[in-house]
């Protein structure tokens, strides 16, 4: 059999077909890897965004409660509140809109206690359903107040 007869056989496009098939298989594998990486990146970005929002709400709640703690600790303490506002019955502020961008954020403060002890509770919620509660317990010890912090749900 001569070399010319072999080259003219009926399997002339087999090598090209195999190369094209291998190319498609490699393209399929690389595309699958790229889609998998993109999907995982989107999930991580979503998780980070959710954690950033929760952290932002936590900072707002802590700041609001801390402002009340500082005000009570500064001058007359809980006694001034108790005489005029009766914190033993509990004082609760209405839910107030404090931020409108990027989403609506609401703050609710409450104080309850006596002349030597009080609990300040700060609740911050957002339109996306996230909610953070921070409480500060203040106990009068002599002329100073001892404050302990507690996270809610």
């Amino acid at each position: 059999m001569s070399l010319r007869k072999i080259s003219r056989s009926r399997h002339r496009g087999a090598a090209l077909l195999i190369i094209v098939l291998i190319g498609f298989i490699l393209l399929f594998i690389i595309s699958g890897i790229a889609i998998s990486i993109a999907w995982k990146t989107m999930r991580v970005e979503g998780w980070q965004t959710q954690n950033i929002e929760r952290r932002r709400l936590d900072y707002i709640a802590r700041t609001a409660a801390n402002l009340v703690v500082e005000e009570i600790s500064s001058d007359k303490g809980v006694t001034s509140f108790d005489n005029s506002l009766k914190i033993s019955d509990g004082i609760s502020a209405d839910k107030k809109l404090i931020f409108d961008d990027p989403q609506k954020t609401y703050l609710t403060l409450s104080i309850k206690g006596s002349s030597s002890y009080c609990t300040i509770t700060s609740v911050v919620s957002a339109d996306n359903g996230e909610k953070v509660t921070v409480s500060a317990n203040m106990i009068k010890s002599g002329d100073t107040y001892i404050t302990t912090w507690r996270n809610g749900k």
Side-chain angles (χ1 to χ4, degrees), residues 106-119:
Y106 301 93
L107 170 67
T108 305
L109 281 170
S110 64
I111 304 171
K112 185 169 176 78
S114 65
S115 60
S116 62
Y117 172 84
C118 74
T119 300

Side-chain angles (χ1 to χ4, degrees), residues 67-87:
L67 288 172
V68 175
V69 167
E70 287 177 4
E71 186 63 31
I72 290 173
S73 299
S74 64
D75 293 328
K76 300 172 188 169
V78 179
T79 312
S80 65
F81 280 114
D82 198 36
N83 291 339
S84 60
L85 298 172
K86 302 291 183 206
I87 67 166

